[in-house]
């Protein structure tokens, strides 16, 4: 009975995309094609370099088991990207209903008369995957559109539209604060009130001029002072607004 009649292993070679100072993992899938409970054990020629989980287990009839092999971070680049490490998968038929707790080292001892099947796996280093290409600057959100110039030195119509849209819109003027608007409204009301008082005083002066007999000797001095004060206040308010 060969190993393939108990467990089918995929892939047959452990490939690690090698990168310095980085842990790298790859997976194995064990397929039990028989009608037996099959116990397995995985060993390596360099146990300090690799971590295998699980390194022992039981594969149920007509089922699969996934194994993760992790290579520890390496500080030096291997010469010519070559690796001489190897793994050994041992498998043996066990009793029905067996669990990983039932596995013992004695089960894989050929000298004790156990029929142990073995499969060797090689290790290969491969180039790491390439990083994704950078996003075009023009497609990034918030960036200004890129402009290309044709052979005759002119921009295309679509590019001219994009450039004009990005530069025509200038900053909007800032709105006055609520305090400034309230002050302007108050000064405007005071100015209108002063203008109204001035008109009223002018009308009274005109009446006094046309009826000198009623004024008892002319225009009262207080009216003249009042008119002057109103003019000063009006001038002050006009400058403030």
């Amino acid at each position: 009975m060969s190993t393939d009649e108990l467990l089918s292993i995929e892939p047959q070679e452990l490939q690690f995309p090698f990168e310095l100072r980085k842990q790298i993992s790859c997976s194995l899938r064990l397929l039990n094609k028989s009608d037996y409970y099959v116990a397995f054990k995985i060993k390596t020629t360099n146990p300090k370099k690799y971590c295998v989980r699980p390194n022992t287990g039981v594969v149920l009839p007509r089922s699969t088991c996934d194994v993760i092999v992790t290579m520890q971070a390496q500080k030096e680049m291997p010469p010519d990207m070559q690796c001489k490490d190897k793994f050994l998968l041992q498998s043996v038929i066990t009793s029905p209903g067996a669990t990983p707790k039932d596995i013992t080292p004695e089960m894989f001892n050929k000298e004790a008369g156990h029929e142990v099947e073995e499969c060797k796996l090689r290790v290969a280093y491969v180039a790491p995957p390439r990083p994704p290409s950078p996003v075009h600057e023009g497609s990034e959100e918030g960036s200004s559109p890129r402009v290309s110039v044709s052979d005759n030195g002119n921009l295309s119509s679509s590019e001219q539209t994009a450039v004009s849209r990005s530069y025509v819109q200038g900053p909007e003027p800032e709105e006055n604060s609520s305090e400034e608007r309230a002050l302007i409204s108050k000064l405007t009301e005071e100015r209108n009130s002063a203008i109204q008082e001035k008109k009223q005083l002018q009308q009274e002066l005109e009446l006094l001029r046309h009826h000198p007999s009623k004024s008892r000797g002319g225009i009262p001095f207080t009216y003249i002072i009042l008119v002057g004060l109103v003019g000063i206040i009006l001038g002050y308010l006009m400058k403030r607004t």
Side-chain angles (χ1 to χ4, degrees):
M1 181 185 295
S2 63
T3 304
D4 289 339
E5 293 179 353
L6 284 180
L7 295 180
S8 175
I9 308 170
E10 289 294 337
Q12 293 288 330
E13 183 181 62
L14 293 172
Q15 295 186 348
F16 294 93
F18 188 88
E19 294 184 60
L20 287 176
R21 300 176 179 84
K22 183 178 180 181
Q23 283 190 349
I24 308 168
S25 299
C26 65
S27 62
L28 289 173
R29 170 157 291 187
L30 310 180
L31 171 61
N32 183 0
K33 300 188 295 182
S34 70
D35 295 326
Y36 305 99
Y37 280 71
V38 178
F40 70 89
K41 182 178 182 179
I42 300 177
K43 299 189 294 185
T44 177
T45 57
N46 197 343
K48 293 183 179 180
K49 185 177 179 181
Y50 301 95
C51 176
V52 183
R53 290 291 182 272
N55 60 344
T56 60
V58 176
V59 186
L60 303 183
R62 306 294 175 178
S63 61
T64 61
C65 177
D66 291 328
V67 178
I68 303 298
V69 181
T70 302
M71 182 178 67
Q72 304 301 322
Q74 302 298 302
K75 298 180 180 180
E76 297 181 356
M77 185 73 69
D80 300 328
M81 290 289 287
Q82 299 297 320
C83 182
K84 298 181 180 180
D85 301 331
K86 292 181 176 62
F87 284 82
L88 178 66
L89 173 67
Q90 296 178 308
S91 58
V92 62
I93 297 176
T94 186
S95 58
T99 65
K101 295 181 180 180
D102 301 324
I103 298 176
T104 62
E106 185 66 21
M107 296 173 60
F108 303 95
N109 188 358
K110 292 181 179 181
E111 296 179 357
H114 296 288
E115 186 176 353
V116 182
E117 299 179 2
E118 297 180 344
C119 178
K120 294 181 180 180
L121 302 175
R122 299 176 60 87
V123 177
Y125 295 146
V126 297
R130 294 183 179 180
S133 58
V135 180
H136 197 274
E137 295 181 3
S139 62
E140 293 181 357
E141 185 178 356
S143 61
S144 59
R146 295 177 62 89
V147 180
S148 60
V149 182
S150 59
D151 295 338
N152 58 5
N154 297 325
L155 299 176
S156 62
S157 58
S158 60
E159 290 169 343
Q160 289 177 355
T161 304
V163 172
S164 61
R165 288 179 179 176
S166 62
Y167 290 103
V168 166
Q169 296 179 353
E172 296 181 357
E174 299 182 356
E175 295 183 357
N176 295 327
S177 64
S178 58
E179 295 180 358
E180 293 177 349
R181 290 197 297 269
L183 179 60
I184 292 174
S185 177
K186 182 179 179 180
L187 293 175
T188 303
E189 291 177 359
E190 293 178 356
R191 184 188 64 178
N192 294 337
S193 178
I195 293 174
Q196 187 68 24
E197 292 179 0
K198 182 181 178 181
K199 289 182 178 179
Q200 186 177 354
L201 289 175
Q202 287 178 348
Q203 291 176 358
E204 292 179 358
L205 289 174
E206 289 294 329
L207 290 174
L208 291 174
R209 287 176 182 175
H210 288 85
H211 303 83
S213 59
K214 296 181 180 181
S215 64
R216 295 183 180 181
I219 300 173
F221 182 71
T222 55
Y223 280 103
I224 298 175
I225 294 175
L226 206 59
V227 172
L229 290 175
V230 171
I232 294 172
I233 294 173
L234 183 61
Y236 173 75
L237 294 176
M238 294 292 288
K239 289 182 180 179
R240 287 291 300 273
T241 57

